Amino acid sequence: MKKKNLILLLILFLVSSQIVSPQSKTGDLPVFDFSKDYPQKKLRLQDMADIEYVPLETTDDILLGGSSVLSAVTDKYILVHEVRLGDIFVFDRKTGKLYSHFNHKGQGGMEYSWIKNGTILDEQKEEIYVCSQFIQVYSLKGEYKRTLKINGFENDMKILNFNDESILIYDDVVIEPGRENRTKKDPYRLVSKKDGSLISVLGLYFPKRYSNKISQQLEGNMWRPLQIYYSHNVHYGSDIVIMDISSDTLYHLSPDKGLIPYLTRTPSIHATEPRKIWIPVLTTDKFMLLGTFVLDFNSSGGKIPVFMYDFKTAEVNKVSILDTEFDTRAWSSGRWEPGGDPAIAKNMCAEFIDVSSMLSAYNGKRLAGNGMKIAKNLVEDDNPVVRIIKFK
């Protein structure tokens, strides 16, 4: 009997140890204070980073639409997908030449209806994960390999590559009237790339969860989602930055080190209504850029102030970053922010630059890196160029 009680006690301990309150590890963390008037710092992007441009091949069959998303940049490849049309393009990282193009939009078991939750490029396994109703896995050439039976239409998800064996899934708050009780208190989980089975639930438990969207009631018991778009979980090389709307703590999730708290905030997310939100803009080994705004669904929006947190000194500054290639306005209005959050190596970010902007900067002799060399061969109808920013 004593042996059975001991086993039961051990099981209860192991289960309880999987749940870590998002406020329980924050004792000596640096604090970001929403109410503080931080000093202003003006920076130039081109002083902070080296610039590289990759022109994407353009032909009658290789035309990127307005809903094209830059998904990943690896040592060998650039992955782009078109959300609604379902096209997937893989380009050579160095030359920009097309490596493969496929579209498996359809209703069959090996197809996807549209690319609702993005794409993932696993360069080592040479696989592409298309996240739609389920996660369909293809080779880089588009050959069907398997399906991970994870229902991406059940609720809004954020799906990110994590390591060789798993992907990270974030389950958003359920706002559909009558189904709100299906919202998970522990929304982060790692699932197998092999078969979609659960590997573990991340140790982040939120007794009270908030959302960046609400249900707007219409006539006849109808409703529609009203959403304010922003990023809250983004890549940092092989790590993931988790800045959850329901948490007072920012975390890094690392394949090597696990879940690490990095920064906490004051006042608490629970303290104000409408809520003051922070969002990750960019992370490097030296600093993090984060933005703040008030989550007010009645607001008309506006510029989001950006702050820089220095990892070495713990200093916080409000920053304005001038992009001397494409932003010709005065310091007071000039500001650079990443145009997307594709998966890329640490200390880098990447974004699309449209050809008209490239040609304007070329005519003004403002392009850095290999930009002038690339731009001189562009014409107006070409695909956008990928700008890779490598922070020093």
Side-chain angles (χ1 to χ4, degrees):
M1 187 68 179
K2 289 183 180 180
K3 185 176 180 180
K4 289 183 178 180
N5 288 338
L6 181 61
I7 293 174
L8 179 60
L9 184 62
L10 179 61
I11 292 173
L12 289 173
F13 172 75
L14 290 173
V15 171
S16 64
S17 69
Q18 299 300 308
I19 298 177
V20 182
S21 167
Q23 315 303 329
S24 64
K25 290 186 174 182
T26 62
D28 299 320
L29 291 181
V31 177
F32 178 82
D33 189 341
F34 276 74
S35 63
K36 188 172 180 179
D37 186 16
Y38 287 106
Q40 178 81 33
K41 180 181 285 190
K42 296 179 178 180
L43 304 169
R44 295 180 186 272
L45 177 63
Q46 285 70 22
D47 294 336
M48 302 165 62
D50 295 320
I51 307 294
E52 177 188 358
Y53 290 93
V54 181
L56 301 182
E57 182 179 357
T58 306
T59 68
D60 291 341
D61 297 324
I62 313 170
L63 293 174
L64 303 186
S67 298
S68 295
V69 175
L70 178 61
S71 177
V73 179
T74 69
D75 290 340
K76 295 181 180 179
Y77 306 109
I78 295 172
L79 175 64
V80 177
H81 69 263
E82 213 290 343
V83 176
R84 294 288 179 182
L85 298 178
D87 289 292
I88 293 176
F89 300 89
V90 181
F91 296 93
D92 183 274
R93 160 70 175 79
K94 291 182 173 58
T95 66
K97 296 294 184 182
L98 184 71
Y99 176 81
S100 68
H101 168 217
F102 62 91
N103 187 325
H104 294 314
K105 185 177 179 181
Q107 301 299 322
M110 301 180 186
E111 299 171 318
Y112 46 85
S113 54
W114 58 292
I115 307 177
K116 180 178 186 290
N117 299 311
T119 55
I120 292 172
L121 173 59
D122 187 328
E123 182 178 277
Q124 183 176 353
K125 290 185 171 66
E126 296 195 333
E127 292 180 336
I128 295 174
Y129 296 73
V130 179
C131 306
S132 184
Q133 180 174 3
F134 301 113
I135 299 177
Q136 307 285 27
V137 186
Y138 303 93
S139 72
L140 295 186
K141 293 290 188 178
E143 295 97 348
Y144 172 81
K145 300 188 75 171
R146 61 189 180 278
T147 297
L148 308 185
K149 290 287 186 176
I150 299 167
N151 192 342
F153 283 2
E154 192 172 62
N155 53 52
D156 284 340
M157 290 180 175
K158 177 76 171 180
I159 304 174
L160 297 173
N161 194 29
F162 182 56
N163 60 20
D164 293 342
E165 305 301 326
S166 63
I167 55 179
L168 175 70
I169 294 181
Y170 164 81
D171 293 300
D172 205 349
V173 173
V174 178
I175 64 167
E176 182 181 345
R179 299 180 69 246
E180 297 90 344
N181 61 355
R182 298 194 179 190
T183 297
K184 296 180 180 180
K185 303 297 186 182
D186 45 1
Y188 295 92
R189 53 196 164 110
L190 295 173
V191 302
S192 168
K193 286 182 174 180
K194 182 178 180 180
D195 57 14
S197 61
L198 179 66
I199 294 177
S200 65
V201 176
L202 208 62
L204 290 174
Y205 180 81
F206 306 111
K208 179 67 175 176
R209 290 191 65 192
Y210 307 111
S211 178
N212 61 319
K213 57 185 181 295
I214 58 174
S215 61
Q216 187 178 47
Q217 296 299 317
L218 305 174
E219 294 181 0
N221 292 324
M222 301 294 288
W223 70 282
R224 65 182 177 188
L226 182 62
Q227 184 170 355
I228 298 176
Y229 289 92
Y230 66 89
S231 297
H232 56 275
N233 302 316
V234 296
H235 291 283
Y236 165 43
S238 59
D239 295 358
I240 296 172
V241 176
I242 296 177
M243 189 178 273
D244 196 284
I245 187 176
S246 303
S247 175
D248 288 340
T249 305
L250 178 152
Y251 294 87
H252 281 190
L253 178 63
S254 167
D256 300 323
K257 301 177 182 177
L259 192 64
I260 307 168
Y262 263 66
L263 188 67
T264 190
R265 54 167 285 172
T266 187
S268 170
I269 183 62
H270 311 289
T272 61
E273 181 64 50
R275 307 198 183 279
K276 295 180 178 178
I277 307 299
W278 58 354
I279 60 174
V281 176
L282 173 74
T283 301
T284 74
D285 288 342
K286 294 181 179 179
F287 63 85
M288 163 176 278
L289 298 180
L290 59 98
T292 66
F293 70 95
V294 176
L295 191 66
D296 185 356
F297 292 93
N298 297 314
S299 171
S300 58
K303 283 284 188 179
I304 295 177
V306 176
F307 300 84
M308 174 180 284
Y309 170 70
D310 187 296
F311 288 125
K312 184 176 181 180
T313 65
E315 178 184 4
V316 178
N317 287 280
K318 187 177 181 180
V319 294
S320 178
I321 301 176
L322 183 67
D323 184 348
T324 57
E325 294 177 275
F326 300 106
D327 198 334
T328 57
R329 298 169 295 173
W331 271 112
S332 59
S333 58
R335 184 172 299 165
W336 169 83
E337 293 176 15
D341 57 351
I344 194 171
K346 282 187 177 181
N347 301 309
M348 297 184 191
C349 67
E351 59 192 356
F352 279 143
I353 302 293
D354 64 84
V355 172
S356 61
S357 296
M358 287 290 293
L359 293 176
S360 175
Y362 174 75
N363 292 331
K365 295 181 170 54
R366 298 191 304 269
L367 292 171
N370 64 338
M372 296 297 289
K373 178 181 178 181
I374 296 300
K376 72 178 182 180
N377 296 315
L378 295 175
V379 295
E380 284 287 351
D381 294 332
D382 279 346
N383 282 323
V385 176
V386 176
R387 178 165 72 159
I388 299 172
I389 302 171
K390 307 173 185 179
F391 290 90
K392 301 173 183 177

